[in-house]
């Protein structure tokens, strides 16, 4: 009887664990429209369970301007990021492969030998987007989670902020850990930072 009870307990615990995992399984925006998602975005806030990433962001919590471009005949799109580093504007590009799931993308981050799955969890296309990124480093199989809040401008609405904070909590992270990016003005590659001001983002 004791053995049977122990097995039953393990099955119950296993079922509960499965339900908890299922509760945070990533899902992208319903009826996601890639063309509407393209264009200019600004990364206003980020959080991650990766200590190295968070330390890097704390050292340079600056708004990142993203320009997304997709060619209709291609199965990928390019994200060109521009941000200030050491008061100089730097630009990098990442190619995201499309997947069979609309709103879910894939890319490989060579610097850390990491495979990255990105999910646009919430967006209204015209104002805000909340993105979840799940990374797996090879060969260690180390897994990390990042959550990012994007806006079409350097402002964000309370409703968008609420969606972002809810996703942060769902993935076991604290809203107190969120890094709020600030603007140093428009980033033009090769240019210098001209001003520094706080993001007016309704409490981001």
């Amino acid at each position: 009887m004791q053995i049977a009870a122990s097995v039953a307990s393990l099955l119950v615990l296993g079922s509960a664990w499965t339900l908890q995992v299922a509760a945070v399984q990533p899902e992208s925006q319903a009826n996601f429209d890639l063309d509407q998602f393209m264009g200019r975005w600004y990364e206003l806030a980020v959080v991650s369970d990766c200590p190295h990433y968070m330390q890097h962001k704390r050292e340079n919590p600056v708004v990142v301007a993203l320009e997304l471009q997709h060619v209709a005949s291609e199965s990928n799109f390019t994200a060109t990021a521009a941000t200030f580093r050491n008061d100089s504007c730097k630009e990098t590009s990442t190619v995201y492969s499309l997947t069979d799931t609309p709103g879910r993308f894939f890319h490989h981050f060579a610097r850390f030998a990491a495979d990255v799955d990105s999910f646009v969890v919430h967006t209204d296309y015209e104002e805000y987007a909340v993105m979840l990124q799940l990374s797996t480093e090879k060969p260690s199989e180390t897994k990390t989670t990042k959550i990012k809040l994007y806006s079409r401008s350097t402002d964000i609405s309370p409703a968008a902020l609420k969606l972002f904070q809810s996703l942060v909590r769902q993935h076991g992270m604290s809203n107190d850990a969120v890094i709020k990016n600030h603007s140093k003005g428009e980033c033009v590659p090769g240019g210098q930072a001209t001003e520094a001001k706080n993001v007016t983002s309704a409490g981001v």
Side-chain angles (χ1 to χ4, degrees):
M1 290 293 292
Q2 288 182 339
I3 294 175
S6 297
V7 171
S9 297
L10 288 173
L11 289 173
V12 170
L13 288 172
S15 298
W17 181 84
T18 301
L19 289 172
Q20 286 181 334
V21 172
V24 294
Q25 286 298 305
E27 291 185 4
S28 52
Q29 171 89 13
N31 303 314
F32 179 80
D33 189 312
L34 181 66
D35 290 335
Q36 288 190 65
F37 188 63
M38 295 296 100
R40 173 61 64 98
W41 291 99
Y42 295 93
E43 178 194 281
L44 298 187
V46 298
V47 69
S48 175
D49 58 10
C50 175
H52 176 82
Y53 175 82
M54 292 296 283
Q55 179 62 33
H56 173 74
K57 292 298 294 185
R58 288 190 193 98
E59 292 172 355
N60 190 41
V62 179
V63 168
V64 179
L66 290 167
E67 190 69 36
L68 310 184
Q69 296 180 314
H70 173 241
V71 177
S73 60
E74 300 293 334
S75 59
N76 54 50
F77 69 89
T78 301
T80 302
T83 191
F84 287 103
R85 295 176 188 168
N86 299 321
D87 290 329
S88 179
C89 183
K90 305 294 183 182
E91 191 174 80
T92 58
S93 292
T94 302
V95 176
Y96 288 81
S97 298
L98 305 183
T99 70
D100 293 336
T101 303
R104 179 181 181 180
F105 320 119
F106 173 85
H107 75 280
H108 181 75
F109 189 24
R111 181 180 176 186
F112 294 103
D115 292 333
V116 184
D117 268 316
S118 297
F119 301 81
V120 181
V121 181
H122 301 291
T123 186
D124 67 351
Y125 305 103
E126 296 180 356
E127 180 189 351
Y128 69 86
V130 178
M131 181 176 283
L132 170 69
Q133 294 186 319
L134 305 178
S135 303
T136 304
E137 294 182 20
K138 305 292 184 177
S140 66
E141 294 297 317
T142 300
K143 298 181 183 298
T144 58
T145 299
K146 298 184 185 76
I147 302 175
K148 300 182 177 183
L149 177 62
Y150 296 122
S151 175
R152 292 294 190 182
S153 70
T154 53
D155 295 320
I156 199 69
S157 71
L161 177 60
K162 186 175 180 180
L163 290 171
F164 172 73
Q165 292 175 330
S166 176
L167 190 64
V168 169
R169 292 192 299 271
Q170 286 177 34
H171 286 270
M173 291 179 279
S174 169
N175 289 315
D176 293 336
V178 171
I179 293 175
K180 309 161 191 177
N181 293 332
H182 62 268
S183 175
K184 285 190 173 182
E186 194 66 23
C187 183
V188 178
Q192 300 293 312
T194 56
E195 62 176 316
K197 58 183 179 180
N198 292 328
V199 173
T200 55
S201 49
V204 172

